[in-house]
Amino acid sequence: MTARLYERRSRVIEFIHESYLIEVPGRTLPAGPVLESFAFDDFSRTAWYRQEREGDLTAYTEGFEGPGRVRKTFHRLAGDPGRYVDADEVDVHYVEPKVIARTNFRTPLFMPVGGSDQLLRTNHRYDNGHPFYDQPERREGHYYAKRDGAGTVDAWDKSWIADKDTTPKVFLSFDGGRHFIDARDVTWTSD
């Protein structure tokens, strides 16, 4: 069976940039390919994807576990422009990259609100022990919590002045700034 090639695209949905992969029309790898090396990036880890159709082409958007979602891994082939291949359609011989950190427990995800320093809580979480492979983007400073009626933190707002209502915080993003987690919720691996 031939392996379909995909390319990375981006779209904006409600002020959030969303990367997705779409099939490259008329481009495939020949049957029986074996990958000896590829560029490891955020699509190379196994994740949940929403499978969609754009005309006659198949597209995959990373998401969270739920109805109609599939577990997929994509590998970026060498070259420019970068093309991706579905790991289920090729044989891969490589050494998996080293895990540098893991979550301590089910960790809530916060998304940045466009153009501000606010981090808004989402309905999604990383599972306990979720692995990370790349150095994160950091946001740090004095933040104050906005809580709901039950005391759950709904958002973190950055303050330029430290006072009794603020807390020194560090937030980490391992997915290019799309979602952040509290640095206290991560354990770093050691050699």
Side-chain angles (χ1 to χ4, degrees):
M1 151 175 158
T2 60
R4 294 173 290 175
L5 293 176
Y6 296 86
E7 64 184 359
R8 182 182 205 142
R9 292 210 184 143
S10 181
R11 58 186 165 213
V12 177
I13 298 176
E14 295 182 10
F15 307 106
I16 297 173
H17 289 275
E18 178 179 73
S19 295
Y20 68 103
L21 295 176
I22 186 164
E23 188 177 350
V24 178
R27 297 287 310 273
T28 59
L29 290 177
V34 176
L35 298 181
E36 297 294 337
S37 66
F38 61 89
F40 191 86
D41 69 8
D42 52 331
F43 288 107
S44 297
R45 61 178 169 69
T46 303
W48 290 99
Y49 286 90
R50 181 178 69 242
Q51 184 175 349
E52 306 164 312
R53 300 292 296 175
E54 286 192 13
D56 294 334
L57 304 176
T58 302
Y60 290 95
T61 304
E62 185 178 352
F64 297 91
E65 184 175 1
R69 304 296 169 100
V70 293
R71 293 281 286 173
K72 287 282 186 190
T73 303
F74 293 92
H75 300 304
R76 186 178 185 275
L77 303 175
D80 193 31
R83 302 285 193 216
Y84 293 81
V85 64
D86 185 337
D88 295 336
E89 297 179 357
V90 294
D91 290 325
V92 179
H93 300 284
Y94 72 100
V95 176
E96 188 161 330
K98 184 177 180 250
V99 173
I100 63 165
R102 292 187 183 275
T103 54
N104 298 331
F105 47 85
R106 282 182 50 87
T107 304
L109 300 177
F110 294 86
M111 72 179 183
V113 176
S116 75
D117 287 320
Q118 183 181 54
L119 296 174
L120 186 65
R121 184 185 185 112
T122 69
N123 293 327
H124 305 292
R125 296 176 175 267
Y126 283 132
D127 288 331
N128 181 27
H130 182 88
F132 300 107
Y133 301 98
D134 299 314
Q135 290 298 322
E137 176 182 328
R138 295 171 59 95
R139 284 195 180 182
E140 50 190 297
H142 291 276
Y143 285 82
Y144 60 93
K146 288 188 176 178
R147 299 181 185 274
D148 65 11
T152 302
V153 174
D154 281 334
W156 288 100
D157 286 311
K158 189 171 186 176
S159 174
W160 297 105
I161 301 170
D163 62 23
K164 64 181 175 114
D165 295 326
T166 64
T167 305
K169 301 288 287 178
V170 176
F171 292 96
L172 306 173
S173 175
F174 292 91
D175 63 4
R178 290 184 307 176
H179 297 100
F180 285 84
I181 59 175
D182 193 322
R184 295 180 307 165
D185 298 343
V186 170
T187 298
W188 298 95
T189 59
S190 59
D191 285 286

